[in-house]
Coordinates of all heavy atoms in Angstrom, one line a residue:
M15 N -3.4 7.9 -13.5 CA -3.7 7.7 -12.1 C -2.5 8.0 -11.2 O -2.6 8.6 -10.2 CB -4.0 6.2 -11.9 CG -5.4 5.8 -12.6 SD -6.8 6.6 -11.9 CE -7.1 5.6 -10.5
L16 N -1.3 7.7 -11.7 CA -0.1 8.0 -10.9 C 0.1 9.5 -10.8 O 0.3 10.0 -9.7 CB 1.2 7.4 -11.5 CG 2.5 7.7 -10.8 CD1 2.5 7.3 -9.4 CD2 3.6 7.1 -11.6
S17 N -0.1 10.2 -11.9 CA 0.0 11.7 -11.8 C -1.0 12.3 -10.9 O -0.6 13.2 -10.1 CB -0.2 12.2 -13.3 OG 0.0 13.6 -13.3
A18 N -2.2 11.8 -10.8 CA -3.2 12.3 -9.9 C -2.8 12.0 -8.5 O -3.0 12.8 -7.6 CB -4.6 11.7 -10.2
A19 N -2.3 10.8 -8.2 CA -1.9 10.5 -6.8 C -0.7 11.4 -6.4 O -0.7 11.8 -5.2 CB -1.4 9.0 -6.8
L20 N 0.2 11.7 -7.3 CA 1.3 12.5 -6.9 C 0.8 14.0 -6.7 O 1.3 14.6 -5.8 CB 2.4 12.5 -8.1 CG 3.1 11.2 -8.2 CD1 3.9 11.1 -9.5 CD2 4.1 11.1 -7.0
R21 N -0.1 14.4 -7.5 CA -0.7 15.8 -7.2 C -1.5 15.9 -5.9 O -1.6 16.9 -5.3 CB -1.5 16.2 -8.4 CG -0.8 16.5 -9.7 CD -1.7 16.9 -10.8 NE -1.1 16.8 -12.1 CZ -0.3 17.8 -12.6 NH1 -0.1 18.9 -11.9 NH2 0.2 17.7 -13.8
A22 N -2.0 14.7 -5.5 CA -2.8 14.7 -4.3 C -2.0 14.5 -3.0 O -2.5 14.6 -1.9 CB -3.9 13.6 -4.4
T23 N -0.7 14.2 -3.2 CA 0.1 13.9 -2.0 C 0.4 15.3 -1.3 O 0.6 16.3 -1.9 CB 1.5 13.3 -2.5 OG1 1.2 12.1 -3.2 CG2 2.4 13.0 -1.3
W24 N 0.3 15.2 0.0 CA 0.5 16.4 0.8 C 1.9 17.0 0.7 O 2.8 16.3 0.4 CB 0.2 16.1 2.3 CG -1.2 15.9 2.7 CD1 -2.2 15.5 1.8 CD2 -1.8 16.0 3.9 NE1 -3.4 15.4 2.5 CE2 -3.2 15.7 3.8 CE3 -1.3 16.3 5.2 CZ2 -4.0 15.7 4.9 CZ3 -2.1 16.3 6.3 CH2 -3.5 16.0 6.1
P25 N 2.0 18.3 0.9 CA 3.3 18.9 0.8 C 4.3 18.2 1.8 O 3.9 17.8 2.9 CB 3.1 20.3 1.3 CG 1.7 20.6 0.9 CD 1.0 19.3 1.1
D26 N 5.5 18.0 1.3 CA 6.5 17.2 2.1 C 6.2 15.8 2.3 O 6.7 15.1 3.2 CB 6.9 17.9 3.4 CG 7.5 19.3 3.2 OD1 8.3 19.4 2.3 OD2 7.0 20.2 3.9
G27 N 5.2 15.2 1.5 CA 4.7 13.9 1.7 C 5.5 12.9 0.8 O 6.3 13.3 0.0
V28 N 5.2 11.6 1.0 CA 5.8 10.6 0.2 C 4.7 9.8 -0.5 O 3.8 9.3 0.2 CB 6.7 9.6 1.1 CG1 7.3 8.5 0.3 CG2 7.7 10.4 1.8
C29 N 4.8 9.6 -1.8 CA 3.9 8.8 -2.5 C 4.6 7.5 -2.8 O 5.6 7.5 -3.5 CB 3.4 9.5 -3.8 SG 2.3 8.5 -4.8
T30 N 4.1 6.4 -2.3 CA 4.7 5.1 -2.5 C 3.8 4.2 -3.4 O 2.6 4.1 -3.2 CB 4.9 4.3 -1.2 OG1 5.7 5.2 -0.3 CG2 5.6 3.0 -1.4
D31 N 4.4 3.7 -4.4 CA 3.6 2.9 -5.4 C 4.4 1.6 -5.7 O 5.6 1.6 -6.1 CB 3.4 3.6 -6.7 CG 2.5 2.9 -7.6 OD1 2.1 1.8 -7.4 OD2 2.1 3.5 -8.6
T32 N 3.8 0.4 -5.4 CA 4.5 -0.8 -5.7 C 4.0 -1.4 -7.0 O 4.2 -2.6 -7.3 CB 4.2 -1.8 -4.6 OG1 2.8 -2.0 -4.4 CG2 4.9 -1.3 -3.3
G33 N 3.2 -0.6 -7.8 CA 2.7 -1.1 -9.1 C 3.9 -1.2 -10.1 O 5.0 -0.7 -9.9
I34 N 3.5 -1.9 -11.2 CA 4.5 -2.1 -12.3 C 4.0 -1.3 -13.5 O 2.8 -1.4 -13.9 CB 4.7 -3.5 -12.6 CG1 5.3 -4.3 -11.4 CG2 5.6 -3.7 -13.8 CD1 5.3 -5.8 -11.6
Y35 N 4.8 -0.5 -14.1 CA 4.5 0.3 -15.3 C 5.3 -0.2 -16.4 O 6.4 0.1 -16.6 CB 4.7 1.8 -15.0 CG 3.9 2.3 -13.9 CD1 4.3 2.3 -12.6 CD2 2.6 2.8 -14.2 CE1 3.5 2.8 -11.6 CE2 1.8 3.2 -13.1 CZ 2.3 3.2 -11.8 OH 1.5 3.7 -10.8
P36 N 4.7 -1.1 -17.2 CA 5.5 -1.7 -18.3 C 5.9 -0.7 -19.4 O 6.8 -1.0 -20.1 CB 4.6 -2.8 -18.9 CG 3.2 -2.5 -18.4 CD 3.4 -1.7 -17.2
Q37 N 5.1 0.3 -19.6 CA 5.5 1.3 -20.5 C 6.6 2.1 -20.0 O 6.8 2.3 -18.8 CB 4.3 2.2 -20.9 CG 3.8 3.1 -19.8 CD 2.8 2.5 -18.9 OE1 2.7 1.3 -18.8 NE2 2.1 3.3 -18.1
Y38 N 7.5 2.6 -20.9 CA 8.7 3.3 -20.4 C 8.4 4.8 -20.1 O 9.2 5.5 -19.5 CB 9.8 3.2 -21.4 CG 10.4 1.8 -21.4 CD1 10.0 0.9 -22.3 CD2 11.2 1.4 -20.4 CE1 10.5 -0.4 -22.3 CE2 11.7 0.1 -20.4 CZ 11.4 -0.8 -21.3 OH 11.9 -2.1 -21.3
K39 N 7.3 5.3 -20.6 CA 7.0 6.7 -20.4 C 5.8 6.8 -19.5 O 4.7 6.4 -19.8 CB 6.7 7.4 -21.8 CG 7.8 7.4 -22.7 CD 7.5 8.1 -24.0 CE 8.7 8.2 -24.9 NZ 8.4 8.8 -26.2
V40 N 6.1 7.4 -18.3 CA 5.0 7.6 -17.3 C 5.0 9.1 -17.0 O 6.1 9.7 -16.6 CB 5.3 6.8 -16.1 CG1 4.3 7.0 -15.0 CG2 5.4 5.3 -16.4
E41 N 3.9 9.7 -17.1 CA 3.8 11.2 -16.8 C 3.9 11.4 -15.3 O 3.3 10.8 -14.5 CB 2.4 11.7 -17.2 CG 2.2 13.2 -17.0 CD 0.8 13.7 -17.3 OE1 0.2 13.1 -18.2 OE2 0.4 14.7 -16.7
M42 N 4.8 12.3 -14.9 CA 5.0 12.7 -13.5 C 5.0 14.2 -13.5 O 5.8 14.9 -14.2 CB 6.3 12.1 -13.0 CG 6.3 10.6 -12.9 SD 7.8 10.0 -12.1 CE 7.4 10.3 -10.4
P43 N 4.2 14.8 -12.6 CA 4.2 16.3 -12.5 C 5.4 16.8 -11.7 O 5.3 17.1 -10.5 CB 2.9 16.5 -11.7 CG 2.7 15.3 -10.9 CD 3.3 14.1 -11.7
L44 N 6.5 16.8 -12.3 CA 7.8 17.1 -11.6 C 7.8 18.5 -11.0 O 8.3 18.6 -9.8 CB 9.0 16.9 -12.5 CG 9.2 15.4 -13.0 CD1 10.4 15.3 -13.9 CD2 9.4 14.5 -11.8
L45 N 7.3 19.5 -11.7 CA 7.4 20.9 -11.1 C 6.5 21.0 -9.8 O 7.0 21.4 -8.8 CB 7.0 21.9 -12.1 CG 7.1 23.4 -11.6 CD1 8.5 23.7 -11.1 CD2 6.7 24.3 -12.7
P46 N 5.3 20.5 -9.9 CA 4.5 20.6 -8.6 C 5.1 19.7 -7.5 O 5.0 20.1 -6.4 CB 3.1 20.0 -9.1 CG 3.0 20.3 -10.5 CD 4.4 20.1 -11.0
M47 N 5.7 18.6 -7.9 CA 6.3 17.7 -6.9 C 7.5 18.5 -6.3 O 7.7 18.4 -5.0 CB 6.8 16.4 -7.5 CG 5.7 15.5 -7.9 SD 6.3 14.0 -8.8 CE 7.4 13.3 -7.7
Y48 N 8.3 19.1 -7.1 CA 9.4 19.9 -6.6 C 9.0 21.0 -5.7 O 9.6 21.2 -4.6 CB 10.2 20.4 -7.8 CG 11.4 21.2 -7.4 CD1 12.6 20.7 -7.0 CD2 11.3 22.6 -7.4 CE1 13.7 21.5 -6.6 CE2 12.3 23.4 -7.0 CZ 13.5 22.8 -6.6 OH 14.6 23.6 -6.2
T49 N 8.1 21.8 -6.1 CA 7.7 23.0 -5.3 C 7.0 22.6 -4.0 O 7.0 23.4 -3.1 CB 6.8 23.9 -6.1 OG1 5.6 23.2 -6.5 CG2 7.5 24.5 -7.3
R50 N 6.4 21.4 -3.9 CA 5.8 21.0 -2.7 C 6.6 20.0 -1.9 O 6.2 19.5 -0.9 CB 4.4 20.4 -3.0 CG 3.4 21.5 -3.5 CD 2.0 21.1 -3.8 NE 1.6 19.8 -3.4 CZ 1.5 18.7 -4.2 NH1 1.8 18.8 -5.4 NH2 1.1 17.6 -3.7
G51 N 7.8 19.6 -2.4 CA 8.6 18.7 -1.7 C 8.1 17.2 -1.6 O 8.4 16.5 -0.7
V52 N 7.4 16.8 -2.7 CA 6.8 15.5 -2.7 C 7.9 14.5 -3.2 O 8.6 14.7 -4.2 CB 5.6 15.4 -3.6 CG1 5.1 14.0 -3.8 CG2 4.5 16.3 -3.0
R53 N 8.0 13.4 -2.5 CA 8.9 12.3 -2.9 C 8.1 11.1 -3.5 O 7.0 10.8 -3.0 CB 9.8 11.8 -1.8 CG 10.8 12.9 -1.4 CD 11.7 12.4 -0.2 NE 10.9 12.2 1.0 CZ 11.1 11.2 1.8 NH1 12.0 10.3 1.6 NH2 10.3 11.1 2.9
F54 N 8.7 10.4 -4.5 CA 8.0 9.3 -5.1 C 8.9 8.1 -4.9 O 10.1 8.1 -5.2 CB 7.8 9.5 -6.6 CG 7.2 8.3 -7.3 CD1 6.0 7.8 -7.0 CD2 8.0 7.6 -8.2 CE1 5.4 6.7 -7.6 CE2 7.5 6.5 -8.9 CZ 6.2 6.0 -8.6
I55 N 8.4 7.0 -4.3 CA 9.1 5.8 -4.1 C 8.4 4.7 -4.8 O 7.2 4.5 -4.7 CB 9.2 5.5 -2.6 CG1 10.0 6.6 -1.9 CG2 9.9 4.1 -2.4 CD1 10.0 6.4 -0.4
T56 N 9.2 3.9 -5.6 CA 8.6 2.7 -6.3 C 9.5 1.5 -6.1 O 10.6 1.6 -5.7 CB 8.4 3.1 -7.8 OG1 7.7 2.0 -8.4 CG2 9.7 3.2 -8.5
G57 N 8.9 0.4 -6.2 CA 9.7 -0.9 -6.1 C 8.9 -1.8 -5.2 O 7.9 -1.5 -4.6
R58 N 9.5 -3.0 -5.0 CA 8.9 -4.0 -4.2 C 9.2 -3.6 -2.7 O 10.1 -3.0 -2.3 CB 9.6 -5.4 -4.4 CG 9.3 -5.9 -5.8 CD 9.9 -7.2 -6.0 NE 10.9 -7.6 -5.1 CZ 11.7 -8.7 -5.1 NH1 11.6 -9.4 -6.2 NH2 12.5 -9.0 -4.2
V59 N 8.2 -4.0 -1.9 CA 8.3 -3.7 -0.5 C 9.3 -4.6 0.2 O 9.3 -5.8 -0.1 CB 6.9 -3.8 0.2 CG1 7.0 -3.7 1.7 CG2 5.9 -2.9 -0.4
S60 N 10.1 -4.1 1.0 CA 11.1 -4.9 1.8 C 10.4 -5.4 3.1 O 10.6 -4.8 4.2 CB 12.3 -4.2 2.1 OG 13.2 -5.0 2.8
A61 N 9.5 -6.4 3.0 CA 8.7 -6.8 4.1 C 9.6 -7.3 5.3 O 9.2 -7.2 6.5 CB 7.7 -7.8 3.7
R62 N 10.7 -7.9 5.0 CA 11.6 -8.4 6.0 C 11.9 -7.4 7.1 O 12.0 -7.6 8.3 CB 12.8 -9.0 5.4 CG 13.7 -9.8 6.4 CD 14.9 -10.4 5.7 NE 14.5 -11.4 4.7 CZ 14.3 -12.7 4.9 NH1 14.5 -13.2 6.1 NH2 14.0 -13.5 4.0
T63 N 12.1 -6.1 6.6 CA 12.5 -5.1 7.6 C 11.3 -4.5 8.3 O 11.4 -3.9 9.4 CB 13.2 -3.9 6.9 OG1 12.4 -3.4 5.9 CG2 14.5 -4.4 6.2
A64 N 10.1 -4.6 7.7 CA 8.9 -4.1 8.3 C 8.2 -5.0 9.3 O 7.4 -4.6 10.2 CB 7.9 -3.6 7.2
I65 N 8.3 -6.3 9.1 CA 7.5 -7.3 9.9 C 7.9 -7.4 11.3 O 7.0 -7.5 12.2 CB 7.6 -8.6 9.2 CG1 6.7 -8.6 7.9 CG2 7.1 -9.8 10.1 CD1 6.8 -9.8 7.1
P66 N 9.2 -7.4 11.7 CA 9.5 -7.7 13.2 C 8.7 -7.0 14.2 O 8.2 -7.6 15.2 CB 11.0 -7.4 13.3 CG 11.5 -7.6 11.9 CD 10.4 -7.2 11.0
P67 N 8.4 -5.7 14.1 CA 7.6 -5.0 15.2 C 6.1 -5.3 15.1 O 5.4 -5.1 16.1 CB 7.8 -3.5 14.9 CG 8.3 -3.4 13.5 CD 8.9 -4.7 13.1
V68 N 5.6 -5.9 14.1 CA 4.2 -6.1 13.9 C 3.6 -7.1 15.0 O 2.6 -6.8 15.7 CB 3.8 -6.6 12.5 CG1 2.3 -7.0 12.4 CG2 4.1 -5.4 11.5
P69 N 4.2 -8.3 15.2 CA 3.7 -9.2 16.2 C 3.7 -8.6 17.6 O 2.7 -8.7 18.4 CB 4.6 -10.4 16.2 CG 5.1 -10.4 14.8 CD 5.3 -8.9 14.4
E70 N 4.7 -7.8 17.9 CA 4.7 -7.1 19.2 C 3.6 -6.1 19.4 O 2.9 -6.0 20.4 CB 6.1 -6.4 19.4 CG 7.3 -7.3 19.5 CD 8.6 -6.5 19.6 OE1 8.5 -5.3 19.9 OE2 9.6 -7.1 19.3
L71 N 3.3 -5.3 18.3 CA 2.2 -4.4 18.3 C 0.9 -5.1 18.5 O 0.0 -4.7 19.3 CB 2.2 -3.6 17.1 CG 3.3 -2.6 16.9 CD1 3.3 -2.0 15.5 CD2 3.2 -1.5 17.9
L72 N 0.7 -6.2 17.8 CA -0.6 -7.0 17.9 C -0.7 -7.6 19.3 O -1.8 -7.6 19.9 CB -0.6 -8.0 16.8 CG -0.7 -7.5 15.4 CD1 -0.6 -8.6 14.4 CD2 -2.0 -6.7 15.2
D73 N 0.4 -8.2 19.8 CA 0.4 -8.7 21.2 C 0.0 -7.7 22.2 O -0.5 -8.0 23.3 CB 1.7 -9.4 21.5 CG 1.9 -10.7 20.8 OD1 0.9 -11.3 20.3 OD2 3.0 -11.2 20.7
G74 N 0.4 -6.4 21.9 CA 0.2 -5.3 22.8 C -1.2 -4.8 22.8 O -1.6 -3.8 23.5
G75 N -2.1 -5.4 21.9 CA -3.5 -5.0 21.8 C -3.8 -3.9 20.8 O -4.8 -3.3 20.9
L76 N -2.9 -3.7 19.8 CA -3.2 -2.7 18.8 C -4.5 -3.0 18.1 O -4.8 -4.1 17.7 CB -2.1 -2.8 17.7 CG -2.2 -1.8 16.5 CD1 -2.1 -0.3 17.0 CD2 -1.2 -2.1 15.5
D77 N -5.4 -2.0 18.0 CA -6.7 -2.1 17.4 C -6.6 -1.8 15.9 O -6.3 -0.7 15.6 CB -7.7 -1.2 18.1 CG -9.1 -1.3 17.6 OD1 -9.4 -2.3 16.9 OD2 -9.9 -0.4 17.8
L78 N -6.9 -2.8 15.1 CA -6.8 -2.6 13.7 C -8.2 -2.4 13.0 O -8.3 -2.3 11.8 CB -6.2 -3.8 13.0 CG -4.7 -4.1 13.4 CD1 -4.3 -5.4 12.7 CD2 -3.8 -3.0 13.0
S79 N -9.2 -2.2 13.8 CA -10.6 -2.1 13.3 C -10.8 -1.0 12.4 O -11.6 -1.0 11.5 CB -11.6 -2.1 14.4 OG -11.4 -1.0 15.3
A80 N -10.0 0.1 12.6 CA -10.2 1.3 11.7 C -9.7 1.0 10.3 O -10.1 1.6 9.3 CB -9.5 2.5 12.3
A81 N -8.8 0.0 10.1 CA -8.1 -0.2 8.8 C -8.6 -1.5 8.2 O -8.4 -1.7 7.0 CB -6.6 -0.3 9.0
V82 N -9.3 -2.4 9.0 CA -9.6 -3.7 8.5 C -11.2 -3.8 8.3 O -11.9 -3.5 9.3 CB -9.1 -4.8 9.4 CG1 -9.6 -6.2 9.0 CG2 -7.6 -4.8 9.5
D83 N -11.6 -4.2 7.2 CA -13.1 -4.3 6.9 C -13.6 -5.6 7.5 O -14.7 -5.7 8.1 CB -13.4 -4.3 5.4 CG -13.3 -2.9 4.8 OD1 -13.5 -2.0 5.6 OD2 -13.1 -2.8 3.6
R84 N -12.8 -6.7 7.4 CA -13.3 -8.0 7.9 C -12.1 -8.9 8.1 O -11.1 -8.8 7.4 CB -14.4 -8.6 7.1 CG -14.0 -9.0 5.7 CD -15.1 -9.5 4.9 NE -14.7 -9.8 3.5 CZ -15.3 -10.6 2.7 NH1 -16.4 -11.2 3.1 NH2 -14.9 -10.8 1.5
V85 N -12.3 -9.9 9.0 CA -11.4 -11.0 9.2 C -12.0 -12.3 8.8 O -13.1 -12.6 9.2 CB -11.0 -11.0 10.7 CG1 -10.0 -12.2 11.0 CG2 -10.4 -9.7 11.1
V86 N -11.3 -13.1 8.0 CA -11.8 -14.3 7.4 C -10.9 -15.5 7.8 O -9.7 -15.3 7.6 CB -12.0 -14.1 5.9 CG1 -12.4 -15.4 5.2 CG2 -12.9 -13.0 5.5
A87 N -11.5 -16.5 8.1 CA -10.7 -17.8 8.4 C -10.1 -18.3 7.1 O -10.7 -18.1 6.0 CB -11.6 -18.8 9.0
W88 N -8.9 -18.8 7.2 CA -8.2 -19.3 6.0 C -9.0 -20.2 5.2 O -9.0 -20.2 4.0 CB -6.9 -20.0 6.5 CG -6.0 -20.3 5.4 CD1 -5.8 -21.6 4.9 CD2 -5.1 -19.5 4.7 NE1 -4.8 -21.5 3.9 CE2 -4.4 -20.2 3.8 CE3 -4.9 -18.1 4.8 CZ2 -3.5 -19.7 2.9 CZ3 -4.0 -17.6 3.9 CH2 -3.3 -18.4 3.0
E89 N -9.8 -21.1 5.8 CA -10.6 -22.1 5.1 C -11.7 -21.4 4.3 O -12.1 -22.0 3.3 CB -11.2 -23.1 6.1 CG -10.3 -23.9 6.9 CD -9.7 -23.0 8.1 OE1 -10.5 -22.3 8.7 OE2 -8.5 -23.2 8.4
D90 N -12.1 -20.2 4.7 CA -13.2 -19.5 3.9 C -12.6 -18.6 2.9 O -13.4 -17.9 2.2 CB -14.0 -18.8 4.9 CG -14.7 -19.7 5.9 OD1 -15.0 -20.8 5.6 OD2 -14.9 -19.2 7.1
A91 N -11.3 -18.5 2.7 CA -10.7 -17.6 1.7 C -11.2 -17.8 0.3 O -11.5 -16.8 -0.3 CB -9.2 -17.7 1.8
P92 N -11.4 -19.0 -0.2 CA -11.8 -19.1 -1.6 C -13.2 -18.4 -1.9 O -13.4 -17.8 -2.9 CB -11.9 -20.6 -1.8 CG -10.9 -21.2 -0.9 CD -11.0 -20.3 0.3
S93 N -14.1 -18.5 -0.9 CA -15.4 -17.9 -1.1 C -15.4 -16.4 -0.8 O -16.2 -15.6 -1.3 CB -16.5 -18.6 -0.3 OG -16.2 -18.5 1.1
A94 N -14.5 -15.9 0.1 CA -14.4 -14.5 0.5 C -13.7 -13.7 -0.5 O -14.0 -12.5 -0.7 CB -13.8 -14.4 1.9
W95 N -12.7 -14.3 -1.2 CA -11.8 -13.5 -2.1 C -12.6 -12.8 -3.2 O -12.4 -11.6 -3.4 CB -10.8 -14.4 -2.7 CG -9.8 -13.7 -3.6 CD1 -9.9 -13.6 -5.0 CD2 -8.6 -13.1 -3.2 NE1 -8.9 -12.9 -5.4 CE2 -8.1 -12.5 -4.4 CE3 -8.0 -12.8 -2.0 CZ2 -6.9 -11.8 -4.4 CZ3 -6.8 -12.1 -2.0 CH2 -6.3 -11.6 -3.2
P96 N -13.6 -13.4 -3.9 CA -14.3 -12.7 -5.0 C -15.2 -11.6 -4.5 O -15.5 -10.7 -5.2 CB -15.1 -13.8 -5.6 CG -14.6 -15.1 -5.1 CD -13.9 -14.8 -3.8
T97 N -15.5 -11.6 -3.2 CA -16.4 -10.5 -2.7 C -15.7 -9.4 -1.9 O -16.3 -8.5 -1.4 CB -17.5 -11.2 -1.7 OG1 -16.8 -11.7 -0.6 CG2 -18.3 -12.2 -2.4
M98 N -14.3 -9.5 -1.9 CA -13.5 -8.6 -1.2 C -13.6 -7.2 -1.8 O -13.4 -7.0 -3.0 CB -12.1 -9.1 -1.2 CG -11.2 -8.3 -0.3 SD -9.5 -9.1 -0.1 CE -9.0 -9.1 -1.8
T99 N -14.0 -6.2 -1.0 CA -14.1 -4.8 -1.4 C -13.2 -3.9 -0.6 O -12.9 -2.8 -1.1 CB -15.5 -4.3 -1.3 OG1 -15.9 -4.4 0.1 CG2 -16.5 -5.1 -2.2
G100 N -12.7 -4.3 0.5 CA -11.8 -3.4 1.3 C -10.7 -4.3 1.9 O -10.4 -5.4 1.3
K101 N -10.1 -3.9 2.9 CA -9.0 -4.6 3.5 C -9.6 -5.8 4.3 O -10.3 -5.7 5.2 CB -8.2 -3.7 4.5 CG -7.1 -4.4 5.2 CD -6.0 -4.8 4.2 CE -4.9 -5.5 4.9 NZ -3.9 -6.0 4.0
T102 N -9.1 -7.0 3.8 CA -9.6 -8.2 4.4 C -8.3 -8.9 4.9 O -7.3 -9.0 4.2 CB -10.3 -9.1 3.3 OG1 -11.4 -8.4 2.9 CG2 -10.7 -10.4 4.0
V103 N -8.4 -9.5 6.1 CA -7.3 -10.2 6.7 C -7.7 -11.6 6.8 O -8.8 -12.0 7.3 CB -7.0 -9.6 8.2 CG1 -5.9 -10.5 8.8 CG2 -6.6 -8.2 8.1
Y104 N -6.8 -12.5 6.3 CA -7.1 -14.0 6.3 C -6.2 -14.5 7.5 O -5.0 -14.2 7.5 CB -6.7 -14.6 5.0 CG -7.6 -14.1 3.9 CD1 -7.1 -13.0 3.1 CD2 -8.8 -14.6 3.6 CE1 -7.9 -12.5 2.1 CE2 -9.6 -14.1 2.6 CZ -9.2 -13.1 1.8 OH -9.9 -12.6 0.8
T105 N -6.9 -15.3 8.3 CA -6.1 -15.9 9.5 C -6.0 -17.4 9.4 O -7.0 -18.0 8.9 CB -6.8 -15.5 10.8 OG1 -8.1 -16.0 10.8 CG2 -6.9 -14.0 10.9
R106 N -4.9 -17.9 9.9 CA -4.8 -19.3 10.1 C -4.4 -19.6 11.5 O -3.7 -18.8 12.2 CB -3.6 -19.9 9.2 CG -3.9 -19.9 7.7 CD -2.9 -20.7 7.0 NE -1.7 -19.9 6.7 CZ -0.8 -20.2 5.9 NH1 -0.8 -21.4 5.3 NH2 0.2 -19.4 5.6
A107 N -4.9 -20.8 12.0 CA -4.6 -21.2 13.4 C -3.1 -21.6 13.5 O -2.5 -22.1 12.6 CB -5.5 -22.2 13.8

């Protein structure tokens, strides 16, 4: 799967994967990546650096409907979780 994702990354693109690969040998198409300028980034996300602008964007009226399938109240999370098929946002008051 990782190899397919790297091959599908656009030229000069970045493929980011936060998955964990417990095996030490992972196939990577290095020559196609090199010739197309594809970069691969792995590791945990540094959310602390990404979060600060998000509340400002949301307060400014950013429309997330194109990326979010549904919004679920926090109290309804236990019943919504097993049926989740796309991006679900859980909200708390």
Side-chain angles (χ1 to χ4, degrees):
M15 294 295 278
L16 175 59
S17 182
L20 289 165
R21 290 180 193 280
T23 302
W24 286 22
D26 298 317
V28 178
C29 181
T30 303
D31 187 353
T32 58
I34 297 173
Y35 298 90
Q37 67 275 20
Y38 288 100
K39 295 181 180 180
V40 177
E41 180 183 334
M42 295 185 76
L44 294 177
L45 182 59
M47 289 172 61
Y48 175 82
T49 58
R50 292 183 12 257
V52 171
R53 291 182 294 142
F54 175 66
I55 297 174
T56 186
R58 295 181 347 188
V59 173
S60 179
R62 187 177 300 268
T63 60
I65 287 177
V68 173
E70 292 176 19
L71 292 169
L72 295 174
D73 286 342
L76 178 67
D77 180 19
L78 297 177
S79 62
V82 176
D83 286 334
R84 64 184 176 158
V85 177
V86 176
W88 188 256
E89 302 78 38
D90 299 329
S93 61
W95 183 267
T97 64
M98 190 170 57
T99 57
K101 179 63 177 175
T102 301
V103 175
Y104 298 94
T105 60
R106 287 193 276 190

